Structure formats: structure tokens, C-alpha cells
Amino acid sequence: MTPDPNTDDDEVVTWWGLVIEGYLATQDKLMGEIADRFGLAPASFDILMRLVRSPEHRMPMTRLATEAALSSGGFTKVADRLVAADLICRVPSPDDRRVTFASLTDHGLDVADRARAACAEILRRIVLTPLGEDAPALAEAMRTLRSVNS
């Protein structure tokens, strides 16, 4: 379907505002439930999800910081909290002494697996159920936007 080039400017801006407001409300609800169940802040949850889906449950810390869109200092603070909670550990690379990996601990893997399952359950309830058969189209639209604007 080709968009109508004559769509009113206010309507286009309103559509985008609704996308942002819908995302923020949904993300706030999701992260609130994750925080209540697991005591994880959004950045900590994001890092655990990235690590649980990574080979060997580890990733170079600089790459992890970049993917999580955190500054070096911000990532260090989050990583320090995750280390203190025994969720991750820092592992020096055997191949390059400049590289340090963030790696899930056994406890971290358990928490990450349970948090991922809870996240999926919450998303089924607060996204998939309300959207129904429109959910895959929303995901594909967001994939398109990410692709053309990255």
C-alpha cells in the first residue's frame, strides 16, 4: 500500500507521536514487571538478554557497551553492579590482552533464562494479545524503519 502523499502534516506528526507513546508506555510496563520480578534495571536486563543469546554467553565488553548504546563509563557502572550481583564476570581474552569479555556466571545464566521467559510471557500479554494478527506486521514495519534509518 502506497501512503497518500497528501496526508495532512498534523496527521503524520500525530501518527509518529502515537508510535512513540505506545512504545514508551509498553516499555515502561514491561520493564516495571521485570524490575518487580527480578530486581533488574532496564540496562542490566538488556545486557543479560544480549549475553544469554550470544555464543558461550559472552561478548567483548566494548562491543556489548556499543550494542547496549551505553557510554564507556555508563557501561562500567552497570557491569560493576552485575559483577557484584554475581550475574556476570569479566574474563580476559586469551588471544588479545586488550580485550575483556563479559560472561554470564551460572547464577547469571539462570536469572537471564528466567527473565527471558518472563519477558516473553509479559510481551504475549501486553503486545501480542492486544495486537492479535497485526503483531507480525508491526515487527516487520519496525525492522524496515531500523534498516532504512541505520
Side-chain angles (χ1 to χ4, degrees):
M1 179 164 98
T2 304
D4 182 354
N6 299 316
T7 301
D8 180 76
D9 292 350
D10 285 337
E11 189 168 3
V12 171
V13 172
T14 297
W15 289 345
W16 185 246
L18 289 169
V19 169
I20 298 300
E21 290 169 8
Y23 164 77
L24 290 173
T26 304
Q27 182 71 353
D28 285 349
K29 187 169 190 168
L30 172 64
M31 288 296 99
E33 289 196 38
I34 293 295
D36 288 347
R37 292 187 195 186
F38 299 96
L40 293 171
S44 295
F45 174 76
D46 182 40
I47 289 166
L48 292 182
M49 291 304 97
R50 290 175 189 283
L51 289 172
V52 77
R53 295 186 316 242
S54 296
E56 300 178 35
H57 307 299
R58 71 179 194 169
M59 186 183 294
M61 291 186 69
T62 53
R63 181 171 147 219
L64 187 53
T66 300
E67 286 189 11
L70 294 169
S71 67
S72 176
F75 177 76
T76 298
K77 288 179 185 178
V78 174
D80 286 347
R81 283 189 222 113
L82 292 171
V83 168
D86 189 36
L87 296 170
I88 69 167
C89 60
R90 292 178 171 98
V91 179
S93 169
D95 304 321
D96 186 343
R97 66 181 184 194
R98 298 169 295 173
V99 175
T100 300
F101 291 97
S103 181
L104 288 176
T105 62
D106 289 341
H107 174 61
L109 179 57
D110 176 60
V111 170
D113 281 339
R114 289 186 296 115
R116 178 175 48 181
C119 180
E121 175 265 314
I122 296 163
L123 289 171
R124 282 184 182 92
R125 179 170 31 87
I126 70 172
V127 176
L128 297 184
T129 298
L131 290 180
E133 63 187 38
D134 292 335
L138 174 64
E140 192 56 38
M142 292 294 107
R143 180 177 284 115
T144 298
L145 289 177
R146 180 183 65 189
S147 176
V148 300
N149 293 305
S150 294

